[in-house]
Amino acid sequence: MAATLDCSAAQLAQLLGPNTTDASAAAALICGQFSAVSSKFSDATFAIDTTYLLFSAYLVFSMQLGFAMLCAGSVRAKNTMNIMLTNVLDAAAGGLFYYLFGFAFAFGSPSNGFIGRHFFGLDDVPSKDFDYSLFLYQWAFAIAAAGITSGSIAERTQFVAYLIYSSFLTGFVYPVVSHWFWSVDGWAAASKADGNLLLGSGVIDFAGSGVVHMVGGVAGLWGALIEGPRIGRFGSSGRTVALRGHSASLVVLGTFMLWFGWYGFNPGSFTKILSAYNSGGYYGQWSAVGRTAVTTTLAGCTAALTTLFGKRILSGHWNVTDVCNGLLGGFAAITSGCSVVEPWAAIVCGFVAAVVLISCNALAERARFDDPLEAAQLHGGCGAWGIIFTALFATEKYVNEVYPNKPGRPYGLFMGGGGKLLVAHLIQILVIFGWVSATMGPLFFVLHKLKLLRISPEDEMAGMDLTRHGGFAYVYDDEDESQKRNFQLRKIEPNATTPPTN
């Protein structure tokens, strides 16, 4: 905006003509007013973009409530307080560790391609590159990754293990991955400042199918593998026993909260909205934000319906919990390419995501892998598919609009852009799996060896709410103990005075 209001006092003085008493002073005054107006427009742009980013951060943070409700409904009633508390502590511990270390490791520029090295404890923030709003937004992403992992190891994990892994994941493991793909210094970032992009394209993981979902899913995979399945999940004969969650209502509520928050997760990843692609036109970044919300919606809806009918064919039931997981799988998959694909392609993404989720769940059963929320399959499997999908369907026009730092870069294979982007994205899948395995796997193994990971069989059978948190989450009556003793059901024994039945 400011560029259209540039004013040169020397040039303007010539235009005012010889009849002007003091042409130079008049020109300077007029140009000064133009500069003041230009500054106001610039201030308004910053304010609008910051407000947009903050609102998006609030939406992403609201996903924590969605995670909490989804997790609570997916576990048995005897572990409800435990899983709710872990969700609260993901946010609380993650907030401190991301403030102290995580944000610096992720976005501490200038730095090397592996890890950031500035802004520890938000030192030197705000700056010309970062404001506090970006920290808040990225923190909400970091705790989302930790929340994914907590679902995989639910109902059998010691509380201290949650604190340790959540702090390590949000303070180090996740920030390093986000630096690789989102920082201007990251070795595989699509927006790398020096233009030296991986295979000429970089990795287009716009909102984090890999950075967030795969990281959380792979961490959960290792945690669940090292802990082993819950007691009773698999019979001695190999038969699978469904340990169903206690509340489908909470699952649906959590799913809708996550759906709502995803409109901050994906469209909010632009971080700015007031950017015109062609000044003076109706089409700009605000249009891309709207398109991203549409692709997000279509992928989730398609995955939900595909899961609904797919599970109906396989099991003979219309299962609301499966549909909710399918919906979330579609969202996890579209997160990578939501800004650079056409809406029709999002339908393809959602359909395949549902097939991937159903297949991963079948494989997990065969391998006797127990994940109470299907988090590793959903976020890891569907997240990996989303990375591949982007490399196949990203369009040239949208890639150049969203990533204008290097025009003419490779785009989707199926859209005529060649295979370089696909190779870059396969590299992303491999390095994320390798990095998270090399960091979180040993952490869970050490906790297991120190007997800090899994609770005792007695605690697991009784439920952690009773043994670790002082009581159950639900109160089933309002009477005090004396009233309950008076109204307890008793077995009536037959005796001589019992009237005969007619």
Side-chain angles (χ1 to χ4, degrees), residues 3-373:
T4 62
L5 297 175
D6 284 347
C7 180
S8 169
Q11 292 176 346
L12 186 59
Q14 297 175 4
L15 297 176
L16 291 174
N19 296 326
T20 305
T21 304
D22 190 344
S24 296
L29 175 63
I30 294 172
C31 284
Q33 295 300 312
F34 270 107
S35 296
V37 172
S38 177
S39 296
K40 290 296 184 182
F41 274 118
S42 179
D43 294 344
T45 300
F46 280 117
I48 291 170
D49 286 338
T50 299
T51 301
Y52 174 71
L53 184 57
L54 282 172
F55 180 71
S56 298
Y58 304 151
L59 285 176
V60 177
F61 180 69
S62 74
M63 296 175 77
Q64 288 301 119
L65 175 58
F67 279 124
M69 295 298 100
L70 180 69
C71 289
S74 299
V75 302
R76 290 164 292 180
K78 62 183 181 180
N79 294 310
T80 305
M81 287 180 64
N82 174 263
I83 197 69
M84 295 282 276
L85 185 56
T86 61
N87 276 271
V88 173
L89 287 176
D90 281 339
L96 286 178
F97 279 86
Y98 199 72
Y99 163 76
L100 292 172
F101 311 108
F103 186 76
F105 289 151
F107 298 100
S109 181
S111 64
N112 55 57
F114 177 75
I115 193 169
R117 59 189 183 193
H118 297 284
F119 307 131
F120 291 97
L122 294 186
D123 187 37
D124 294 329
V125 174
S127 68
K128 64 181 180 64
D129 298 313
F130 298 121
D131 204 345
Y132 294 108
S133 55
L134 181 66
F135 164 79
L136 193 73
Y137 187 68
Q138 294 298 336
W139 160 70
F141 271 58
I143 61 176
I148 291 167
T149 306
S150 68
S152 295
I153 57 178
E155 295 204 284
R156 60 205 190 274
T157 305
Q158 291 192 47
F159 191 66
V160 65
Y162 279 113
L163 286 174
I164 293 172
Y165 98 75
S166 181
S167 302
F168 185 57
L169 184 66
T170 55
F172 180 66
V173 178
Y174 166 81
V176 169
V177 177
S178 58
H179 180 82
W180 293 348
F181 302 110
W182 287 347
S183 169
V184 294
D185 299 314
W187 63 269
S191 55
K192 194 176 182 183
D194 63 9
N196 185 21
L197 305 180
L198 176 67
L199 299 178
S201 66
V203 170
I204 299 176
D205 190 3
F206 182 71
S209 288
V211 174
V212 179
H213 295 283
M214 264 200 74
V215 167
V218 174
L221 171 70
W222 284 109
L225 280 175
I226 293 171
E227 271 195 308
R230 291 167 291 173
I231 295 174
R233 180 68 173 90
F234 299 102
S236 57
S237 62
R239 183 174 58 90
T240 300
V241 179
L243 302 179
R244 297 194 180 280
H246 78 282
S247 176
S249 300
L250 289 178
V251 170
V252 172
L253 175 61
T255 301
F256 273 113
M257 284 300 304
L258 289 169
W259 189 341
F260 179 66
W262 235 290
Y263 292 126
F265 207 96
N266 286 3
S269 290
F270 281 97
T271 70
K272 298 178 180 179
I273 193 170
L274 199 57
S275 300
Y277 294 147
N278 296 297
S279 185
Y282 64 87
Y283 182 73
Q285 192 143 293
W286 49 87
S287 305
V289 168
R291 182 183 67 248
T292 300
V294 170
T295 57
T296 301
T297 303
L298 292 175
C301 293
T302 304
L305 291 174
T306 304
T307 306
L308 173 70
F309 291 106
K311 294 295 288 186
R312 177 69 171 85
I313 294 170
L314 293 173
S315 67
H317 301 291
W318 306 101
N319 192 309
V320 66
T321 303
D322 290 336
V323 171
C324 288
N325 283 340
L327 178 83
L328 298 177
F331 287 151
I334 195 61
T335 295
S336 173
C338 54
S339 65
V340 294
V341 301
E342 294 284 1
W344 64 262
I347 296 175
V348 177
C349 178
F351 177 82
V352 177
V355 175
V356 169
L357 179 59
I358 293 172
S359 301
C360 286
N361 284 335
L363 181 62
E365 278 199 15
R366 280 182 168 273
R368 297 170 67 88
F369 174 77
D370 182 23
D371 184 331
L373 275 89

